[in-house]
Amino acid sequence: MSEGILLFIEQRDGVLNRTSLEAMVAAQRMAAETGDKVSAVVLGRDVSAVATEVAGKKLEAVYTVTDDKLASYTPDGYVAALKQAIEQLSPRYVILSHTYRVRDFAPILASTMGKTFVTDCLCFRVEGGETVFTRQIFQGKINTDVRVQAEAPVFASFQAGSYRADLAEAGEQPAPIKPLEVEMEGVRLRTEPEAAFQETKQAVDLTQAPLIVAVGRGIKSQENLSIVQELAEAMGAEIAASRPICDNEWLPMDRQIGSSGQTVAPKLYLAVGISGAIQHVVGMKNSQTIVAINKDPEAPIFDLADYGIVGDLFEIVPALTAEVRKAKGE
Amino acid sequence: MNIVVCLKQVPKKDSILRIAADGKWIDDRDLSYEMSEADAYALEEALRQKEKHGGEVIVICMGPERVRQSIKEALAKGADRAIHLYDEAFDHASDAAGIGRALAAALKDEKFDLVFTGLQSDDYGFAQVGLVIAERLGLSSATIAMEVQPEEGGVRVKRELESGWFQWVKIPLPALLTIQSGINQLRYATLKGIMAAKKKELREVKAADLGLTADDLKPAQVIERAYLPLKSKQTEMIEGKPAEAAAKLVEKLRFDARVL
């Protein structure tokens, strides 16, 4: 009989991935509605520090799976270890954060176990014993409620930022830390990982900028960037960009905002010609004031904007620059 | 180096999407379609690898008749042949497990070294189908690839991690890679390519050819409602001619939001 919710805790070099705590909030809320208990599982060579940190939260238990073959992340190692952990614990749900690492192994894990995996969820609701997950399609333009008809365990990953990590409930007493025995002897790790690295030393720290003007695909060409640069200059703002701009090398990569770039929360975030694909939104949605300028009135960026202007950025941006200069008495 | 590229056709990026009358999907009348963006980069990467190392590029695509347009585009850009999973039974495959199962079945007897997919599609965005194929066919895998270097006995892949971090990994062949958008510069099909594409093999595959029934492809995940996202904020839309709107916005930012 399957019961309980198993939460995957991600760590790298003994450092807890904060988004695991966001997923923990999802798991704890799910438990509150279904009456299940949440346990966590953490993998690695030595995970005692992370396990102890997580054990302070409201959890039934923190299971640890340790082996030399789990020292560096590989999909084969993680799939083999987690499969055995899940088989031993037989939870109803396996909850994960939708990180790049989870994306790299969890679909293999679910497939090899013949289970369904609902990815990149925003939230859920429980209805007559069944869980309905909300996930976005068409890059955030449309939400869907997804009903799962499958045998336990159901795998579900939650998008970064879908729950607030600081809302993870603390336990009254530390949860017991229980090592799980798994057989890793015969597991072949096909992946040979090298050390992780950063491409360039980040020259610009956008996280400290109070004002950011960000530019996206709508700018169309590199030559057109100057109008946005002029606006940023007039405002005294840093310039930033969505991914396609940096992929085209129109701006250096250290200007990129989003899941693969920097995460910022300035006083003002002015998004020019950015549609608001979710990969971008996760990097800026906590900005204090968001302004969006876009020709498409249906662009998802308007859903999080405080102020919006629908129109041609090539007319609006220069007009805005002129107004900012006027306001500053230049 | 033989490379399979899995392509998906999706509504064009700038499409205005509306909810269908049954409230379960988008209204797909009057939509134009294109290759899903990351898949276009996957195709481009395969063509570049072929140009460097020789071999064959095979594209595989599932969907109704309209997807032929994307298949032909791939052939015109330089793919050597194509497999089209074309059958009403495939309409039932609407979750990652079903789609992955069908594609894996169709690739089972192909001779390839690498399979490329985009890292996720622009419509469902499951980010799973590639790895389901890898799991079912026993391929090694690496996701979110930013650079691909074939080496003796394997392939070295630069993976993107989060927040500006990267990592090289080496995996043995045959392998599946999911390709990140922006890994290369996309080419256009040439007139010569378009003409040449007409003579290239385009094989149609039915579910029965793969020993699959509609029941085998039945999804475990069903969309019961599709809807426009609720606004998380009250957005004040500023109207007027550009100069007027700009003046109003600056005033709001100075005196209401007090951020300028």
Side-chain angles (χ1 to χ4, degrees):
Chain A
M1 189 42 201
S2 305
E3 60 173 23
I5 297 171
L6 186 64
L7 168 72
F8 170 72
I9 296 288
E10 183 168 327
Q11 61 87 22
R12 192 171 86 187
D13 302 330
V15 179
L16 172 70
N17 186 316
R18 294 285 300 170
T19 61
S20 292
L21 296 179
E22 299 175 6
M24 183 185 290
V25 178
Q28 288 178 334
R29 297 210 174 152
M30 195 179 277
E33 293 200 37
T34 60
D36 280 294
K37 304 261 193 258
V38 183
S39 299
V41 60
V42 52
L43 274 55
R45 180 159 53 193
D46 173 15
V47 296
S48 46
V50 172
T52 307
E53 183 180 353
V54 172
K57 303 296 180 188
K58 188 180 170 192
L59 295 168
E60 186 71 356
V62 177
Y63 294 100
T64 58
V65 182
T66 52
D67 195 280
D68 282 348
K69 286 189 175 169
L70 299 171
S72 301
Y73 162 75
T74 62
D76 289 332
Y78 269 51
V79 167
L82 275 171
K83 180 169 185 275
Q84 294 176 65
I86 291 165
E87 282 165 354
Q88 288 177 36
L89 300 169
S90 66
R92 287 212 297 157
Y93 294 100
V94 178
I95 301 298
L96 314 94
S97 173
H98 195 63
T99 61
Y100 280 25
R101 178 176 294 182
V102 164
R103 295 166 58 122
D104 196 58
F105 78 81
I108 305 172
L109 175 64
S111 181
T112 193
M113 297 185 76
K115 304 301 176 190
T116 202
F117 180 19
V118 194
T119 43
D120 209 11
C121 299
L122 288 180
C123 58
F124 69 91
R125 64 173 196 273
V126 177
E127 234 179 48
E130 280 186 59
T131 305
V132 177
F133 295 93
T134 298
R135 66 185 302 278
Q136 295 188 307
I137 55 173
F138 295 103
Q139 301 194 305
K141 284 188 190 164
I142 288 177
N143 280 14
T144 59
D145 288 349
V146 176
R147 194 174 286 272
V148 176
Q149 291 152 342
E151 273 176 36
V154 170
F155 288 72
S157 66
F158 285 87
Q159 190 171 91
S162 51
Y163 291 88
R164 279 176 48 190
D166 58 334
L167 298 180
E169 267 184 83
E172 283 167 22
Q173 63 226 13
I177 296 172
K178 300 181 180 175
L180 281 181
E181 290 299 321
V182 298
E183 176 55 55
M184 295 295 286
E185 185 84 13
V187 177
R188 188 179 146 228
L189 307 181
R190 289 173 292 181
T191 305
E192 293 171 38
E194 298 174 22
F197 64 96
Q198 275 180 302
E199 196 90 294
T200 46
K201 251 201 130 36
Q202 262 176 16
V204 194
D205 184 6
L206 294 175
T207 62
Q208 301 304 317
L211 308 176
I212 291 178
V213 174
V215 57
R217 218 189 267 272
I219 196 72
K220 293 200 177 100
S221 79
Q222 187 167 20
E223 294 73 63
N224 296 337
L225 273 181
S226 59
I227 61 165
V228 181
Q229 270 154 340
E230 276 166 33
L231 174 61
E233 241 162 69
M235 288 171 56
E238 285 288 350
I239 193 157
S242 64
R243 179 167 190 124
I245 303 300
C246 300
D247 279 345
N248 283 330
E249 296 175 3
W250 296 350
L251 281 173
M253 203 159 158
D254 58 6
R255 297 276 168 183
Q256 187 177 316
I257 302 293
S259 53
S260 47
Q262 300 192 52
T263 300
V264 297
K267 269 195 337 188
L268 173 63
Y269 192 90
L270 199 156
V272 177
I274 290 178
S275 67
I278 190 63
Q279 295 84 347
H280 182 76
V281 165
V282 296
M284 50 65 76
K285 68 177 176 186
N286 292 322
S287 304
Q288 192 186 319
T289 298
I290 298 171
V291 178
I293 299 170
N294 204 293
K295 68 171 193 285
D296 175 8
E298 317 251 349
I301 192 78
F302 286 120
D303 295 339
L304 36 141
D306 298 275
Y307 301 104
I309 301 180
V310 175
D312 181 355
L313 72 90
F314 298 103
E315 293 180 15
I316 294 161
V317 170
L320 201 52
T321 308
E323 282 300 326
V324 170
R325 285 188 181 137
K326 199 156 66 176
K328 293 197 165 177
E330 287 169 17
Chain B
M1 179 79 48
N2 293 341
I3 307 176
V4 171
V5 183
C6 302
L7 295 182
K8 184 166 200 189
Q9 195 190 50
V10 298
K12 279 198 167 150
K13 247 199 163 53
D14 56 1
S15 303
I16 305 254
L17 301 177
R18 298 182 202 290
I19 305 296
D22 70 357
K24 295 189 175 189
W25 189 239
I26 55 162
D27 183 348
D28 56 9
R29 292 171 300 179
D30 308 323
L31 283 180
S32 319
Y33 291 85
E34 65 187 359
M35 220 181 272
S36 189
E37 186 176 39
D39 296 352
Y41 285 100
L43 170 66
E44 178 64 39
E45 191 57 29
L47 296 173
R48 287 175 186 226
Q49 293 295 338
K50 176 191 148 176
E51 283 156 7
K52 267 189 240 159
H53 306 285
E56 189 185 38
V57 172
I58 307 145
V59 297
I60 181 165
C61 184
M62 186 165 100
E65 196 175 353
R66 62 170 158 77
V67 309
R68 294 220 157 189
Q69 181 204 338
S70 295
I71 293 175
K72 285 186 177 154
E73 183 189 334
L75 293 172
K77 283 181 169 183
D80 297 280
R81 59 187 172 91
I83 304 167
H84 180 192
L85 273 57
Y86 180 34
D87 192 337
E88 268 177 31
F90 294 128
D91 296 349
H92 295 270
S94 60
D95 68 2
I99 298 166
R101 181 173 181 178
L103 290 170
L107 293 176
K108 188 166 53 75
D109 299 321
E110 290 289 338
K111 298 264 180 291
F112 56 80
D113 304 289
L114 289 167
V115 179
F116 289 175
T117 68
L119 82 166
Q120 65 187 61
S121 66
D122 288 344
D123 55 358
Y124 285 110
F126 293 135
Q128 289 193 68
V129 169
L131 290 180
V132 172
I133 296 170
E135 190 278 320
R136 293 196 77 99
L137 297 178
L139 313 176
S140 64
S141 59
T143 55
I144 319 189
M146 287 298 290
E147 211 174 318
V148 180
Q149 294 177 350
E151 281 188 353
E152 188 58 38
V155 59
R156 199 165 163 260
V157 183
K158 182 173 152 191
R159 291 193 57 222
E160 185 179 308
L161 308 178
E162 277 136 349
S163 308
W165 286 80
F166 297 89
Q167 181 180 37
W168 285 96
V169 299
K170 191 179 171 188
I171 52 176
L173 300 177
L176 179 135
L177 306 181
T178 77
I179 304 289
Q180 172 66 288
S181 288
I183 179 174
N184 47 39
Q185 296 283 331
L186 300 179
R187 72 187 64 193
Y188 292 98
T190 59
L191 189 60
K192 201 173 141 214
I194 294 167
M195 298 308 290
K198 292 182 177 165
K199 295 194 193 101
K200 290 179 177 172
E201 178 189 311
L202 198 173
R203 185 159 57 90
E204 251 178 51
V205 174
K206 303 271 172 223
D209 302 334
L210 306 175
L212 294 171
T213 63
D215 220 35
D216 293 328
L217 301 171
K218 207 174 141 225
Q221 296 176 29
V222 177
I223 295 178
E224 62 173 27
R225 193 162 82 92
Y227 50 100
L228 297 174
L230 297 174
K231 280 182 170 291
S232 51
K233 272 187 179 174
Q234 276 295 355
T235 308
E236 188 175 339
M237 297 308 286
I238 298 173
E239 318 270 338
K241 293 212 168 70
E244 277 168 56
K248 276 189 233 168
L249 176 62
V250 169
E251 197 180 298
K252 302 264 181 210
L253 293 178
R254 291 181 75 195
F255 302 111
D256 293 350
R258 294 167 186 271
V259 289
L260 261 192

